[in-house]
Amino acid sequence: MLGRDLPQLAAANADVRVGTGVSIALLDRELQSHLEPGTPSPRARLDLVRRITDAGLPCGVMVAPVLPWLTDSTEALDALLGEIAAAGGEPGHGPRAAPAPGTREWFLAWLGRTHPALLPRYARLYRGGAYAAPDYRRALARRVSPLLARHGLDRPEPNPRDPGWTRQPVRAGAAAGPDAGQLSLL
C-alpha cells in the first residue's frame, strides 16, 4: 500500500514533511518466508525503500527483530545493513532483539519445531521478559556499531518534525558527518 500511495505522499511532502518507515529483519528469503509467511520478501522491501527514496522521501528502516543465533551473525547483519544503505534507507528505530508479545508465542512454537536445540538458549536469554539479557544486547551493539559506521548508518534517526530537517539521502559508501550519533540495534 505504501508503494501504491507514493505519488500522493511525495505530493504531500511539498507542503508538509512526510516520513516513512519499513522493517526488514533479514535477507535470507527462505528463513523469512518461514518467519513471516505471507509478507513481502526482503528484496521486495528493499525495492520499496529504493522507490521511496527515489520519490524524494526519507525512509527509516527498522532491522527487526534481530533473532539470536538465527539472524544476528556479523555477516548477516553486515549484508543487510549494506543493502539498506544501497537502497537509500536511513536509520530507523532500533529494533527489539526478540519478537513482540503475541508473536512471541508463535515464534517459540516455530523455534521448537525447526530449531529445538535453541529453545533452552532462548529461555535463558529471555528469562527477564520480552528483551534479551543486557549482556547479549551490549555484545550485539558492540558488533553492530562498526557495521553501521561502515555503511553510513551511524547517525541518529532523522526527525522530520525538526524545523531544520531536510531530506539527505544516504547511499552506499556515504560517510557520516562529524556530528553523527550512534544508532543502536537494541
Side-chain angles (χ1 to χ4, degrees):
M1 290 175 58
L2 182 56
R4 179 199 70 197
D5 295 338
L6 270 177
Q8 293 83 6
L9 293 169
N13 194 47
D15 297 321
V16 296
R17 293 182 185 106
V18 174
T20 60
V22 174
S23 66
I24 307 174
L26 66 159
L27 292 177
D28 181 329
R29 175 62 174 139
E30 183 177 344
L31 181 57
Q32 186 267 341
S33 69
H34 292 289
L35 289 171
E36 302 174 326
T39 63
S41 70
R43 181 56 43 207
R45 291 174 192 222
L46 288 163
D47 290 344
L48 177 60
V49 171
R50 169 59 67 201
R51 288 177 54 212
I52 291 167
T53 60
D54 285 350
L57 298 170
C59 185
V61 179
M62 290 80 48
V63 177
V66 174
L67 300 170
W69 307 292
L70 293 173
T71 67
D72 69 341
S73 74
T74 300
E75 296 77 20
L77 291 168
D78 187 38
L80 178 56
L81 293 170
E83 292 283 341
I84 290 167
E90 299 177 350
H93 292 290
R96 298 167 68 134
T103 305
R104 180 185 175 115
E105 293 74 18
W106 176 90
F107 172 74
L108 290 174
W110 174 85
L111 190 68
R113 287 189 310 274
T114 60
H115 302 282
L118 291 179
L119 278 176
R121 294 173 85 180
Y122 268 75
R124 284 189 303 275
L125 190 61
Y126 290 95
R127 68 180 165 265
Y131 294 97
D135 289 347
Y136 172 84
R137 294 194 322 257
R138 284 190 293 272
L140 180 61
R142 282 191 302 274
R143 284 191 299 121
V144 167
S145 181
L147 303 177
L148 291 168
R150 176 182 306 149
H151 297 293
L153 298 171
D154 60 340
R155 57 185 202 283
E157 175 187 1
N159 183 352
R161 294 184 181 155
D162 287 344
W165 178 82
T166 59
R167 166 88 175 105
Q168 296 180 2
V170 175
R171 300 289 183 220
D179 298 330
Q182 179 176 330
L183 173 71
S184 170
L185 284 183
L186 305 173

